[in-house]
Amino acid sequence: MNIENYRPDFLLEAVYQLDAESLKKHNISTVMVDLDNTLIAWNNPDGTPELRAWLEEMKREGITVIVVSNNTHSRVERAVSKFDVPFVSRALKPFTRGINMALKQLNEKPENAVMVGDQLMTDIRAAHRAGVRSILVKQLVESDSWQTKFNRARERRVWKRIIEKYGEPEWKNRI
């Protein structure tokens, strides 16, 4: 296993810390974002006022936000319908299917996009495979759905190898 495939380009506390100015500085016009524990807490599908304000800022500043999730169509649609955000469901991350579908749907180039997620094993790996930059965020809530718990155990081993090679990661509040 090559740990560089799992090393994020940026580390942020939360997706809401991404601001349009920083994204534009990096020539990013599209933010692909994971759903559960990244955009919304997996056990709170209504989101927060902070989420709504962030989405409004992105829209106002001309940054496209699209959800790329491994969840079912009905689950993702139900979660994002109130936010008026496009989405790709059943993304099959860590494979590139969902990211490539999002890029095609938006007619976007990989170099102008970023994938934001809370998991090294799915979100960050898929971003590397698709040739887009990646941002790892801390999970919104400490608990995970049962499907994610297996990945978290593998992720801890990968983090250990990343830290051994590159040192302790520094979580920032902007890119």
Side-chain angles (χ1 to χ4, degrees), residues 63-83:
I63 304 290
T64 302
V65 175
I66 185 168
V67 170
V68 178
S69 173
N70 284 348
N71 274 299
T72 65
H73 181 88
S74 60
R75 163 73 176 102
V76 181
E77 183 176 49
R78 191 171 54 249
V80 303
S81 63
K82 59 184 104 11
F83 306 123

Side-chain angles (χ1 to χ4, degrees), residues 37-137:
N37 256 346
T38 300
L39 193 62
I40 59 173
W42 73 270
N43 58 358
N44 177 14
D46 296 326
T48 63
E50 190 175 31
L51 164 64
R52 293 179 193 277
W54 181 74
L55 289 171
E56 287 173 17
E57 177 198 356
M58 294 297 108
K59 186 177 282 191
R60 186 176 58 250
E61 295 295 327
I63 304 290
T64 302
V65 175
I66 185 168
V67 170
V68 178
S69 173
N70 284 348
N71 274 299
T72 65
H73 181 88
S74 60
R75 163 73 176 102
V76 181
E77 183 176 49
R78 191 171 54 249
V80 303
S81 63
K82 59 184 104 11
F83 306 123
D84 190 34
V85 174
F87 66 90
V88 173
S89 58
R90 295 207 183 272
L92 301 179
K93 296 175 292 182
F95 303 107
T96 62
R97 177 185 179 272
I99 290 175
N100 289 338
M101 288 175 70
L103 292 171
K104 184 175 181 178
Q105 181 178 329
L106 300 173
N107 195 29
E108 185 63 87
K109 297 176 185 168
E111 59 267 21
N112 299 122
V114 66
M115 178 69 210
V116 182
D118 68 309
Q119 292 186 62
L120 292 176
M121 307 312 290
T122 55
D123 305 309
I124 304 307
R125 181 65 178 119
H128 280 283
R129 283 181 166 158
V132 302
R133 287 171 280 184
S134 60
I135 300 173
L136 183 71
V137 295

Side-chain angles (χ1 to χ4, degrees), residues 131-168:
V132 302
R133 287 171 280 184
S134 60
I135 300 173
L136 183 71
V137 295
K138 291 185 177 180
Q139 61 195 83
L140 290 175
V141 293
E142 288 298 316
S143 64
D144 281 309
S145 64
W146 66 270
Q147 302 99 316
T148 306
K149 290 181 182 185
F150 173 75
N151 279 345
R152 295 285 184 204
R154 291 185 62 219
E155 188 173 83
R156 284 188 291 276
R157 290 191 302 273
V158 172
W159 260 124
K160 184 177 179 182
R161 291 182 60 199
I162 290 172
I163 291 168
E164 286 171 0
K165 185 167 184 175
Y166 298 103
E168 194 65 40

